[in-house]
Each structure stands twice: as C-alpha cells, then as structure tokens.
Amino acid sequence: MRVSASMVIYNTDMGEVAHCVECLLRNGVYDIWVVDNSPKATDIHGIVGAKPELAEGNLRYIHRGDNPGYGAAHNCAIREAEAEGFEAHLALNTDIAFEPGVVGRLVEQLERDSEIGQISPRIISPDGTQQYAQRLLPTPYDVFGRRFLPRKMMAGRNRRYMLTERDDAQVADIPYHQGSFMLLRMEALREVGGFDERYFMYPEDIDITRRIHSKYKTIYYPGVSVVHDHRASSYRSMKMLWVHCRNMIKYFNKWGWWIDKERRRVNRATLEAMGMDRKGRRVTK
C-alpha cells in the first residue's frame, strides 16, 4: 500500500518540521507534502539538502499565503496524492514524534481489513501519559462546558466524552479521532470528500472522522504509539479560543446542537461495544 503524508505549517520552526520529516523517512514514507499557510513562503531547501534519501520532488511544498485553514491545506495535498495514485494518506502535525515501524503496523491493519477507513495509534504526551485523543462525538455541553465550567462539575461528563475508563490496550472503533496523527484510506477520503473546508481550525477532525465512521471503521490501534507535544493554543490565547468557539458553532450548526439522533446512536453503540455504560463507566461482570 503506497502511503503519502502531509503536514500544515504556519510560521513553524523549521527544526520541528525537519524532525517530523525525519520520523516519516525512518518509517519509509518518502512522499511528503508541506503545505505552508504562512503569509510569506518558507525556504525548505535546507531540509531536502540534509536528507539525501529524499529524491528530487519527494518533498513537495505548497504555499497558501491566503491561509485557507488547516483542513483546506491538507486537502491541497490529498488531491495531489490521490492524483498520483497513493492508497493511504497520513495527515499529521509537526509536533509529533514516532519511532520506525509505526506507520508500517498501521498500514498492516488497513491491508488486513478493507472496512477500516481511518486508523490512529495510542497518542501520548512527552511524559508518557495517555492523551485520550479518541473520543465520543461531542455535545455542546461537552465542548463549552469543558471550557467555561468548573472542572469538578464536568468530571463525570469528561470521563464519558473522553472515554477515560476504557481499556486503552484494546482496539476500538471510535467516532472521533483528534487530527494530530490520522492515517486515512484514500478510498474513504474520496468517498466522503476530504476535510470540510468551512472550518478554519479545530472541528475538522471531528467532522471527517464522523463522516468516515458512518461508512467505515475508524480504529484506535494501541499496538503502536506516537508522542504529541500538544500545545493546546486555544487554552492560552484568547484569539485562538475565539477561533475554536466560532468553528465549533459551525460544527453544531451543521450536525445539530441538542438534537442529533446520529450522535446519540453512534455514541451509545461505541460505549456498548467497549463494555461501558451510558455514563462512560466500565461495566464489571
């Protein structure tokens, strides 16, 4: 299975980009798109010169100075990769690190089961703690309550939404995967139409996983892990918090705020399949 990859940058430190490229190369992924949403084009020739295993043209650079957003930038790469006949595409952040063999193990799962449209590994923080990056489809309460209500008040709800009591050593079909590291079957991307470009940032990963989940399995695979140095910029910047809220409003306008029958059905089925009750607690027999 031929695998391509893309990362989106915006005034990103090139050392970070080079390290992410290195991780991809050590995993045998040589066809890499760097989509640059920065106002001014970035010189990436230093990366190519430092990586002799990158043949001319393997590292593609697309400058989108108009900054169309995260999902739209990945779509630029996905369209080109699809035209070149790649069968799977890895959309990842630049702040991800992973050892050799990770992509290969995930590709093995795609090859074994044609019903898998999307797969993500265990995602951990630099200190080794689980990030719970695979979750239920959110309600407005899950999203805005986590931001603006006291943590104690949201404890039970967060347990359910983030699936913190699941057996994280077990493979699971989960309807929302955070977008830091997503391996996507190209056929599934073609069928659902890629990322929804109405979102500038944040809910594009919820939306695409949800659409793929309606037609394929979207699998959490704990057999391998990646390290995500998550910055959570919307927790530190009022500007990014506003961007997050505005785009989540677009998400709920699309799928439904309090009435969303598909969300209710999918979340209940997900909890049941993982042996959990409706409050996200593991059922003991």
Side-chain angles (χ1 to χ4, degrees), residues 106-125:
L106 296 175
V107 168
E108 285 176 6
Q109 303 308 308
L110 290 182
E111 291 177 330
R112 287 176 182 170
D113 188 350
S114 62
E115 293 184 2
I116 299 176
Q118 177 179 341
I119 188 167
S120 297
R122 174 187 274 118
I123 298 176
I124 60 176
S125 298

Side-chain angles (χ1 to χ4, degrees), residues 203-224:
E204 73 284 329
D205 50 4
I206 312 173
D207 183 276
I208 197 167
T209 310
R210 176 175 183 156
R211 286 183 287 123
I212 293 175
H213 187 80
S214 70
K215 300 175 181 292
Y216 295 84
K217 298 174 185 175
T218 51
I219 295 297
Y220 162 71
Y221 179 73
V224 290

Side-chain angles (χ1 to χ4, degrees), residues 90-249:
L90 176 61
L92 76 166
N93 289 1
T94 57
D95 56 356
I96 288 281
F98 49 104
E99 296 299 317
V102 167
V103 175
R105 291 282 299 278
L106 296 175
V107 168
E108 285 176 6
Q109 303 308 308
L110 290 182
E111 291 177 330
R112 287 176 182 170
D113 188 350
S114 62
E115 293 184 2
I116 299 176
Q118 177 179 341
I119 188 167
S120 297
R122 174 187 274 118
I123 298 176
I124 60 176
S125 298
D127 64 2
T129 56
Q130 177 93 333
Q131 287 193 4
Y132 297 104
Q134 296 81 20
R135 306 174 179 181
L136 295 180
L137 296 177
T139 68
Y141 188 43
D142 294 321
V143 172
F144 297 112
R146 292 185 75 229
R147 294 285 173 168
F148 303 114
L149 294 178
R151 183 174 297 181
K152 274 190 175 182
M153 184 182 298
M154 291 299 297
R157 190 74 193 188
N158 284 336
R159 176 191 62 223
R160 178 183 186 273
Y161 169 50
M162 299 178 70
L163 301 170
T164 59
E165 289 193 12
R166 74 175 190 252
D167 182 353
D168 60 25
Q170 296 298 314
V171 174
D173 186 10
I174 301 177
Y176 162 28
H177 294 213
Q178 284 189 323
S180 55
F181 192 102
M182 300 189 298
L183 183 61
L184 304 142
R185 188 183 295 275
M186 193 64 78
E187 179 185 342
L189 283 170
R190 185 163 47 244
E191 192 167 346
V192 303
F195 287 94
D196 187 333
E197 298 186 9
R198 79 187 71 188
Y199 310 118
F200 179 74
M201 278 183 72
Y202 296 113
E204 73 284 329
D205 50 4
I206 312 173
D207 183 276
I208 197 167
T209 310
R210 176 175 183 156
R211 286 183 287 123
I212 293 175
H213 187 80
S214 70
K215 300 175 181 292
Y216 295 84
K217 298 174 185 175
T218 51
I219 295 297
Y220 162 71
Y221 179 73
V224 290
S225 61
V226 302
V227 178
H228 182 206
D229 191 8
H230 188 40
R231 298 185 181 91
S233 59
S234 65
Y235 279 90
R236 303 195 307 269
S237 163
M238 288 301 296
K239 178 182 177 181
M240 297 312 296
L241 175 60
W242 168 239
V243 171
H244 195 169
C245 291
R246 184 174 61 193
N247 283 275
M248 287 308 308
I249 288 169

